Amino acid sequence: MFTHNRCQLCVDAKEALHNVRKQVPFEITEVDIKKPGNEKWFDEYKYDVPVIHANDEFLLWHRVNIDDTA
């Protein structure tokens, strides 16, 4: 999940993903796009966090709707 520390939508997305994880186990890796070394992701997603990738492919962004993850 591409995120940054001042992102309320990211907090909401993490909560939704943790609820999904109760039924379907998977790992969540967070990438803070504002940390040094993540400039590529900042340039790509600065207006779009949270952004979720699954198996290295784009899945969704902005709001995580559980129905969209099925």
Side-chain angles (χ1 to χ4, degrees):
M1 180 170 93
F2 296 91
T3 183
H4 62 75
N5 65 351
R6 302 192 82 193
C7 172
Q8 184 58 46
L9 287 176
C10 299
V11 172
D12 297 343
K14 278 193 275 189
E15 183 178 315
L17 291 172
H18 283 291
N19 288 333
V20 171
R21 221 167 72 161
K22 291 175 186 175
Q23 296 176 0
V24 180
F26 60 92
E27 299 239 354
I28 299 172
T29 303
E30 291 184 45
V31 176
D32 184 337
I33 65 170
K34 291 186 175 182
K35 283 194 173 180
N38 291 337
E39 292 81 5
K40 169 189 172 186
W41 299 119
F42 179 80
D43 291 342
E44 181 92 15
Y45 295 134
K46 61 186 160 200
Y47 302 118
D48 296 312
V49 291
V51 176
I52 310 300
H53 284 196
N55 300 319
D56 295 324
E57 293 193 26
F58 173 81
L59 180 62
L60 53 91
W61 61 9
H62 301 153
R63 295 190 183 274
V64 174
N65 180 334
I66 298 301
D67 296 333
D68 291 343
T69 60

